[in-house]
């Protein structure tokens, strides 16, 4: 296992799911582990929104920890798990599908009330990992936004208050930077800095600012727009920061705590 696991939420046609994925697995020699073994387990307790309860997440964390302790690191790798109203999916890539299957049966045979099932399929391209587990650019940014908001909350910020938010964008050429700057000005952003000496390959940089809300629904919509704008202009969006404004009360506390509990 790597230390590069990230949790995030995804909305699907079947409802909202929680995904926990090992991004470090993207750098391993995937050709060594061409088979995918998936463990399915039912969830027994749910919250009002239909997602598994906190106790259920504790259960799956303990179960996957036991699995990880016994997986041979050179011959099998747990790369991610999905949780939703239908229960849990634990995905493992391996070069020994029969041995991995036996291991999972042994570790879950006592969980009869959870109807454990093990499925095996060839997946030499790791299509499930890349297509179903890895987050999109927007999902990664949403996680980053929540992490910033959580840090602000820990410092006593009153997240109800609008304030100046600074953003960074980087471009490979001046033409892309010009297009982005023009659009940003049209949408009321102040251009704080523009430099042509950022590290390659994104040499041109913009630092912009606007007074906005830091409520999660607002800031995540804004950063998604900035991500798309940067991409359309051949660049990258590199995040935001703002000053801490302390006050009493915090309407995002429940949202952030709910996100943390669900992952």
């Amino acid at each position: 296992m790597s230390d590069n696991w990230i949790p995030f939420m995804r909305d699907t046609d079947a409802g909202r799911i929680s995904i926990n994925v090992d991004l470090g697995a993207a750098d391993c020699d995937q050709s060594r582990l061409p088979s995918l073994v998936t463990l399915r387990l039912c969830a027994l307790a749910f919250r009002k929104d239909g997602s598994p309860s906190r106790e259920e997440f504790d259960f799956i964390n303990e179960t996957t920890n036991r699995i990880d302790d016994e997986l041979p690191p050179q011959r099998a790798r747990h790369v991610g798990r999905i949780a939703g109203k239908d229960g849990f999916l634990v995905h493992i890539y391996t070069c020994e599908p029969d041995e991995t299957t036996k291991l999972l049966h042994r570790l879950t045979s006592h969980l009869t009330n959870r109807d454990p099932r093990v499925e095996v399929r060839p997946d030499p391209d790791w299509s499930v990992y890349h297509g179903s587990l890895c987050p999109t650019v927007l999902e990664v940014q949403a996680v980053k936004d929540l992490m910033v908001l959580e840090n602000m909350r820990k410092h006593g910020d009153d997240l109800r208050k609008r304030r100046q938010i600074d953003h960074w964008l980087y471009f490979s050429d001046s033409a892309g930077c010009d297009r982005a700057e023009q659009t940003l000005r049209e949408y009321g952003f102040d251009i704080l800095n523009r430099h042509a000496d950022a590290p390659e390959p994104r040499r041109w940089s913009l630092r912009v600012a606007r007074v906005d809300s830091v409520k999660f629904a607002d800031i995540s919509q804004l950063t998604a727009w900035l991500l798309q704008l940067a991409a359309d202009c051949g660049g990258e969006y590199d995040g935001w920061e703002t000053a801490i404004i302390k006050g009493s009360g915090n309407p995002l506390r429940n949202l952030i705590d709910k996100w943390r509990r669900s992952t």
Side-chain angles (χ1 to χ4, degrees), residues 101-256:
T101 298
K102 291 177 183 177
L103 171 64
L104 294 178
H105 281 312
R106 176 169 59 82
L107 293 177
T108 62
S109 61
H110 63 291
L111 301 173
T112 55
N113 59 336
R114 294 185 180 274
D115 189 24
R117 288 172 287 165
V118 179
E119 302 169 359
V120 180
R121 58 172 283 189
D123 190 11
D125 298 327
W126 280 38
S127 61
V128 171
Y129 176 78
H130 294 290
S132 299
L133 289 173
C134 286
T136 65
V137 173
L138 290 178
E139 288 168 339
V140 170
Q141 184 60 49
V143 171
K144 292 179 179 178
D145 293 340
L146 275 169
M147 292 174 68
V148 173
L149 292 173
E150 181 179 17
N151 186 58
M152 292 167 64
R153 177 179 67 81
K154 288 180 178 178
H155 285 83
D157 192 281
D158 184 350
L159 297 175
R160 297 170 298 184
K161 295 183 179 180
R162 294 166 59 87
R163 82 285 303 278
Q164 176 178 310
I165 305 174
D166 294 3
H167 305 267
W168 281 262
L169 304 92
Y170 293 88
F171 304 89
S172 56
D173 56 51
S174 60
C177 190
D178 288 342
R179 294 197 304 274
E181 180 177 344
Q182 179 180 349
T183 299
L184 289 163
R185 288 186 185 277
E186 292 173 355
Y187 278 84
F189 286 88
D190 294 324
I191 309 302
L192 302 183
N193 287 301
R194 173 174 170 150
H195 294 293
D197 56 357
E200 296 286 357
R202 303 292 188 185
R203 194 165 70 89
W204 292 83
S205 66
L206 277 178
R207 181 184 178 186
V208 303
R210 194 176 72 175
V211 173
D212 280 297
S213 164
V214 292
K215 294 179 180 179
F216 176 68
D218 297 327
I219 192 65
S220 62
Q221 183 178 30
L222 177 58
T223 57
W225 181 79
L226 289 167
L227 277 167
Q228 188 61 56
L229 173 64
D232 290 345
C233 296
E236 295 177 350
Y237 175 66
D238 196 39
W240 59 277
E241 73 174 20
T242 190
I244 297 294
I245 300 178
K246 294 190 176 183
S248 60
N250 192 324
L252 280 180
R253 178 184 296 272
N254 291 338
L255 172 63
I256 293 171

Side-chain angles (χ1 to χ4, degrees), residues 26-163:
D27 299 324
C28 76
D29 184 0
Q30 298 174 2
S31 63
R32 296 187 303 103
L33 308 172
S35 296
L36 175 64
V37 178
T38 300
L39 170 66
R40 294 178 178 268
L41 294 167
C42 293
L44 302 180
F46 299 88
R47 292 197 284 259
K48 291 182 179 180
D49 63 0
S51 61
S53 68
R54 176 61 185 175
E55 291 74 21
E56 289 294 291
F57 277 96
D58 290 341
F59 156 77
I60 198 62
N61 288 337
E62 293 171 2
T63 301
T64 52
N65 285 340
R66 288 196 297 271
I67 292 171
D68 291 335
D69 288 342
E70 297 206 32
L71 282 176
Q74 300 304 316
R75 302 192 298 278
R77 182 160 186 160
H78 169 210
V79 298
R81 58 184 178 269
I82 298 174
K85 65 179 183 179
D86 294 326
F88 302 98
L89 298 178
V90 180
H91 293 297
I92 299 168
Y93 281 95
T94 180
C95 61
E96 298 177 340
D98 291 341
E99 293 303 314
T100 301
T101 298
K102 291 177 183 177
L103 171 64
L104 294 178
H105 281 312
R106 176 169 59 82
L107 293 177
T108 62
S109 61
H110 63 291
L111 301 173
T112 55
N113 59 336
R114 294 185 180 274
D115 189 24
R117 288 172 287 165
V118 179
E119 302 169 359
V120 180
R121 58 172 283 189
D123 190 11
D125 298 327
W126 280 38
S127 61
V128 171
Y129 176 78
H130 294 290
S132 299
L133 289 173
C134 286
T136 65
V137 173
L138 290 178
E139 288 168 339
V140 170
Q141 184 60 49
V143 171
K144 292 179 179 178
D145 293 340
L146 275 169
M147 292 174 68
V148 173
L149 292 173
E150 181 179 17
N151 186 58
M152 292 167 64
R153 177 179 67 81
K154 288 180 178 178
H155 285 83
D157 192 281
D158 184 350
L159 297 175
R160 297 170 298 184
K161 295 183 179 180
R162 294 166 59 87
R163 82 285 303 278

